[in-house]
Structures are given as structure tokens and as C-alpha cells.
Amino acid sequence: MTIPRVLFGGLILLAIASGCGAVEVTATEAQIAAMRQRVAALGQLTAAPAVYPVDSANVSPRRLYFAALPYRGKPTRCFAWMGLPETRGTKVPGVVLVHGGGGTAFREWVERWNEHGFAAISIAVEGQTDERSADGKWWQQHEWAGPKRAGIYDDAAEPIEDQWMYHAVADVALANSLLRSLREVDAEQVGLSGISWGGIITSTAMGIDTRFAFAVPIYGCGQLPIAAEHYVRALEHNQVYREVWEPTTWLPRARMPALWLTWLRDTHFPLDAQQATYRAALGPRMVAVLPDMRHGHTVGWRPEDSYAFAESVVATGKPWLKQLHQERDGDRASVEFESAKPIDRAVLLSTIDTGYTGSRQWTESAAELKLNGAKVDITAPLPAGTTAYFFNVLSGPLTASSEYVDMVKPEDHESTK
């Protein structure tokens, strides 16, 4: 057994390598408090960073680097694609985009948001560009790179300023400040969206940099110790994750509207972990669980749901749909929504299985839909043996979901609002 000792603020942080390959990381209360204070300070990165263009300012989207935080005494930069909508009159809203594992700053993702009238900046948070390495397997690292992701918070015993998530959250805040500084952009209408690991970063950063007008975590969420098994094994003894990086410890500070977008059979982030995460945030929320979305970058940014949600928030200040009431009476479930869009139909998604939600068999059945102006009432009988369920409502290409209800958990037996 090896016990690395890392000095942090004059104290000693212990990281113990366990027999199963996970790392046990413990810290004192003073260490945790000091780390949290430094992480919270990332929300004060409100000055626009220096920009180092790759392409001409007349090109959109264009490649650039912006100055990021130093890493182990050396200056770093973050590579990004940034673009503006073609048609601009008044100031436009904006969005910061964060990739997941194996990704980078994507031009196409920026272009998608530009087409919907948003300025966008897609950032590369592991010191990479968008050019492939010689073997074609990885993205090339640039000379100003900071840290790369080390497994699942495997760098938690490092000084906080050397941890990857610290730099990723800082990059998000700096990109926000950069986008807000553009004369074409409405500084009060800049949102944040991330896919997979980018969704984890989004879930974390939205409670640290609270300037964002909206947030769209895609797949990724908090409560990873109850997520996929590889997260459970990696984090069950990681105190620094639980008390410093767990998104639900920061989300009570997040009051912006958020869309929690995922797919039903996701193998990384189950519905109960997502639910525990979105319930920690205090802002208005929508949930969208797409049955056939799959997991990835392209399939993550392809659905219209992210764009429609953001458009609604910047136009009206709130999501286009709100869950008002949800309950179960015997073998019959119901939910009430308030919707600014016409609802075409509703379905019940249910399962009789237990365990990880992405591995269960789910059944879709018809639900009764009643419309009364903006109010939408939905009811459906629950199949015998139902262990979990939720409703989906469909409006054209858009999907919105009621909260996930796990009938095995006592706290979900009563009505939810």
C-alpha cells in the first residue's frame, strides 16, 4: 500500500491506494473549508481573459485561445471555437459549451447554436486542440496546456489549484466572461451547456459561477456514487469529491432555469442520480428524458430540446413548461403541467424492474391528456408491479418529462411539486 502525502495549505492530505484500484482520499475540516473557499472564488473570474486569435476576427466561427489559470507555476491557455449568428441587430444571447470525455471544442456545436440566434463558444478543457494526433486516436495537445482529466477525480489528493476540475470550472467562468464582453452579446443572457463529463462540469459550475442565465446539463449530473458502477468504485472513499466537487453541494446557489436532458437507457448517469441533482438546484427546471437519444456528442446536441428551452428562457425568463403537481392514487398516476406550447400527446414510461435505471426494461403506454388553456392534466393506469415511472409530453419535435418516481423509495410515494 502506498500513502502519498501532499502538502496543502500547511496541512497534510492523505491519499491511500486501495486494493481494488480506487483511491481513498481524506482531508481535515480545515482543508475542506480552504478548498471550498478557493473553488467558490472561481465565480469571481469576471474579467474577460486575454485572447490569442488563430483565425481572423472577420471569420465566424473562428478558432482562438484565451488565457486560463496557471498550472504548476506555468501560464496556460484554453483552445476554443467561437461564433456569432449571421443576422444580428440588437444584442444576441450566448452560450458556453463544454465537451465530454474524448471530445474537444467543436465547431459544429457552435454553428448549431448560431443557427438558433445565439453567440456560442465551445471550449477544450483538457489542453487539446481540434486536430487529431498522428495516430488519429487522440486530440493534439497544445503547448499551453493545463491538466488533463485524471480518471474519476483521481487527482483529488493534489493541491486544489492543480486538480483538473478546478481548471475546467475556471475555463467555464473565463469563457463566460469572454462571451459577455463582446459588444454583440447581451451579457445578461449567456447560458451554459455540457455533454457527459461536460454535463458534470455544467452541474458543478452553475452553482459556482451564478451569472449564467440558463443551464443545460446533458446526461452528466451529480450524485455519482449512486451512478454507474465505475463511478461508485472510484468515489466511495473520496472525501474531496463528496465535500468539494459533488455538484449538489454547490447547486443550492444556482437559481437560473435549467433543462436536465438525458436518455432513458443511459449507461453512465441513471435517472435517480439525475433527480437527486436537479432537486438540489433552486431555479426553475425542466426535465427531458428521451427514449431513443443514445449517448454521445453529436446525438447530444442534435435534439431541438436544448435550443427551444434556451429560446424560451431568453424570451420570457422561464422554461416553456412547468410541472405543477404529480401524485399517485393507488394504481393510477397523474401529473399537471403548465405549458406555453401546444401539447400533442402524452405517454407513460414505466418499468417493473429494479436496479440501475439504464439497464431496466421500460414500457411505453398511452396516457389520457386533458387540456385547459395552458394547463395540461395527464393520467394513466400503472401496470401491475410497477417499480418506477414518469410521463413524457410531446410538442412537435420536443419532449418534456415529469419527475422520475421510484416507488421503492418512500420519499417518492407522496405527491411531488
Side-chain angles (χ1 to χ4, degrees):
M1 177 182 295
T2 60
I3 307 180
R5 293 173 176 263
V6 181
L7 290 178
F8 177 84
L11 300 174
I12 296 177
L13 191 66
L14 297 182
I16 304 175
S18 69
C20 64
V23 175
E24 181 177 349
V25 184
T26 61
T28 67
E29 287 187 14
Q31 289 174 304
I32 294 295
M35 285 187 277
R36 285 184 55 84
Q37 184 177 21
R38 295 188 189 184
V39 170
L42 295 176
Q44 302 303 313
L45 294 173
T46 56
V51 173
Y52 306 92
V54 177
D55 299 318
S56 166
N58 297 324
V59 176
S60 184
R62 64 187 179 113
R63 295 167 297 168
L64 57 84
Y65 294 88
F66 61 81
L69 297 187
Y71 175 57
R72 295 180 175 173
K74 296 181 180 180
T76 72
R77 297 178 186 178
C78 181
F79 174 76
W81 274 97
M82 186 169 71
L84 296 166
E86 287 187 6
T87 302
R88 301 188 295 276
T90 58
K91 289 179 178 287
V92 299
V95 63
V96 176
L97 306 172
V98 194
H99 64 84
T104 188
F106 291 104
R107 173 176 180 158
E108 182 184 349
W109 201 3
V110 170
E111 291 173 333
R112 288 268 181 157
W113 280 94
N114 292 166
E115 291 167 1
H116 286 83
F118 287 74
I121 182 168
S122 177
I123 62 176
V125 295
E126 295 195 52
Q128 75 276 44
T129 70
D130 65 342
E131 296 181 358
R132 289 289 187 179
S133 59
D135 60 11
K137 296 181 179 180
W138 310 104
W139 303 106
Q140 289 186 13
Q141 293 284 293
H142 57 76
E143 59 183 303
W144 306 284
K148 296 180 65 176
R149 179 169 62 87
I152 302 172
Y153 299 90
D154 288 353
D155 57 358
E158 296 290 332
I160 192 69
E161 295 90 345
D162 292 342
Q163 293 181 28
W164 172 72
M165 185 60 74
Y166 182 88
H167 284 262
V169 172
D171 289 344
V172 166
L174 290 166
N176 186 12
S177 297
L178 173 57
L179 210 54
R180 292 164 66 98
S181 74
L182 301 181
R183 67 178 183 275
E184 300 91 345
V185 174
D186 183 343
E188 300 306 313
Q189 297 281 23
V190 176
L192 171 65
S193 183
I195 291 176
S196 196
W197 265 102
I200 297 175
I201 295 169
T202 297
S203 302
T204 308
M206 61 191 278
I208 296 169
D209 183 354
T210 58
R211 297 173 296 166
F212 287 108
F214 62 86
V216 184
I218 303 174
Y219 315 119
C221 58
Q223 293 295 302
L224 298 182
I226 63 171
E229 183 61 29
H230 57 286
Y231 290 117
V232 176
R233 291 195 305 269
L235 296 174
E236 60 181 339
H237 300 299
N238 191 329
Q239 183 188 1
V240 171
Y241 167 79
R242 293 195 307 272
E243 300 190 37
V244 178
W245 290 123
E246 164 55 48
T248 57
T249 67
W250 297 102
L251 281 171
R253 296 160 44 116
R255 297 179 181 273
M256 72 287 290
L259 169 66
W260 300 83
L261 175 62
T262 191
W263 83 293
L264 183 56
R265 295 174 179 83
D266 196 87
T267 57
H268 301 278
F269 306 101
L271 299 183
D272 51 349
Q274 184 199 53
Q275 180 189 65
T277 307
Y278 60 64
R279 283 184 171 180
L282 298 185
R285 65 173 176 260
M286 277 184 63
V287 180
V289 182
L290 279 58
D292 301 312
M293 181 180 178
R294 301 192 178 278
H295 190 110
H297 287 103
T298 303
V299 295
W301 72 53
R302 183 182 297 153
E304 286 295 310
D305 302 88
S306 297
Y307 312 108
F309 171 82
E311 289 165 349
S312 176
V313 172
V314 300
T316 69
K318 58 184 181 181
W320 63 267
L321 182 132
K322 177 181 180 181
Q323 179 176 308
L324 301 176
H325 186 72
Q326 181 175 353
E327 65 180 8
R328 179 174 62 88
D329 183 8
D331 63 353
R332 195 165 187 85
S334 64
V335 65
E336 182 183 19
F337 292 109
E338 183 178 71
S339 178
K341 295 182 181 294
I343 301 301
D344 301 322
R345 65 187 184 95
V347 295
L348 175 75
L349 282 300
S350 64
T351 180
I352 61 174
D353 296 336
T354 58
Y356 187 85
T357 63
S359 300
R360 302 186 197 185
Q361 293 295 317
W362 292 85
T363 300
E364 181 178 304
S365 54
E368 181 181 349
L369 175 66
K370 293 183 179 180
L371 304 177
N372 181 16
K375 296 292 180 65
V376 182
D377 291 308
I378 303 165
T379 60
L382 296 173
T386 295
T387 55
Y389 70 90
F390 63 93
F391 290 95
N392 269 356
V393 294
L394 295 95
S395 175
L398 306 178
T399 300
S401 305
S402 67
E403 281 207 22
Y404 166 78
V405 177
D406 187 339
M407 293 174 62
V408 177
K409 294 183 178 180
E411 63 267 26
D412 283 335
H413 287 183
E414 303 300 326
S415 62
T416 58
K417 295 184 179 179

